Amino acid sequence: MEPIFLIGFMGAGKTTVGIALSEKVNLPVIDADKYLEEKQGKKVNEIFEECGEEFFRDLETEVLKELSRKENTIITTGGGVVGKRENCELLKESGTVIYLSCLFDSLWERLKQDQTRPLVSQNNKKQLHELFQGRASLYESCSDIIINTEKKQVEQVIEDILVLFSDTKA
Ligand code: S3P
C-alpha cells in the first residue's frame, strides 16, 4: 500500500493523530521533521536559526522525496510542506493525503505558548493567521481526505479517518 500522509497547520495534531493511527492500524509512523532532524543532527529551530528557512525547505523537500517511496507507512509532515508546488505534486502522486483541518483560534490556543516552532516565535497572532489563510486552500487541494478535527478527541478523529479512508478505497 502507498504511504498515508497527514498534513495540516502547526498544532493541528498531526503527530498525535499519526501515532494513534499507527497503533490502531498497526503500521509504522515516521514524522518527517524528526527524520530530518536526525539526518541533520540538529533541531528544526536550530536549522532555521543557523541556515535560514529556505535551507530548511530544501531539506524538507529532500526528505519528502525519500519518505514518499515508503510503502505501508504513515508519514506526518511539517505544516509548511504545502508551500512548494513540487511537494504538493509529490504528495498527491505518492499516496493518500489526509488533511487535519481546524479553526485558527483553536490552533492559536495550542500554539501561543510554544517555544519550539520558529514560525511561532517569529510571528505574532495576526501574521500567523495570514499564514494560515494563505495555506488553507493549499491543504485542501493537496488532500484526498479532509477531516474536521474541531472539538474532537483523537479517537474520534481516527474513527473519521478510517471511515473516509475505506470510502476512498471502495
Ligand atoms: C512549519 C511547521 C513545523 C516545522 C517547521 C515549519 C511550518 O512542523 O516543519 O517549524 O512552516 O508550518 P509542525 O507542523 O509539525 O509544527
Side-chain angles (χ1 to χ4, degrees), residues 8-11 14-15 31 33 44 48 53 56-57 60 77-81 116-119 131 135 139:
F9 203 73
M10 293 173 272
K14 299 172 300 254
T15 305
D31 183 272
D33 278 342
V44 167
F48 264 71
E53 179 170 351
F56 168 78
R57 296 300 171 196
E60 186 175 47
T77 59
V81 77
T116 62
R117 291 174 169 99
L119 292 183
L131 187 64
R135 285 180 181 173
Y139 293 129

Side-chain angles (χ1 to χ4, degrees), residues 59-118:
L59 295 175
E60 186 175 47
T61 299
E62 241 176 68
V63 161
L64 187 66
K65 281 185 187 157
E66 218 177 292
L67 296 181
S68 61
R69 292 194 285 268
K70 299 255 176 216
E71 301 230 313
N72 300 313
T73 307
I74 299 161
I75 296 160
T76 59
T77 59
V81 77
V82 294
K84 276 195 199 174
R85 181 187 293 227
E86 180 187 2
N87 295 350
C88 291
E89 283 166 3
L90 191 59
L91 285 169
K92 283 172 82 157
E93 72 197 23
S94 314
T96 306
V97 185
I98 302 175
Y99 166 33
L100 301 184
S101 121
C102 193
L103 294 175
F104 179 75
D105 283 342
S106 311
L107 296 170
W108 175 248
E109 281 311 305
R110 290 178 214 146
L111 291 174
K112 63 184 181 191
Q113 311 289 5
D114 190 277
Q115 307 282 325
T116 62
R117 291 174 169 99

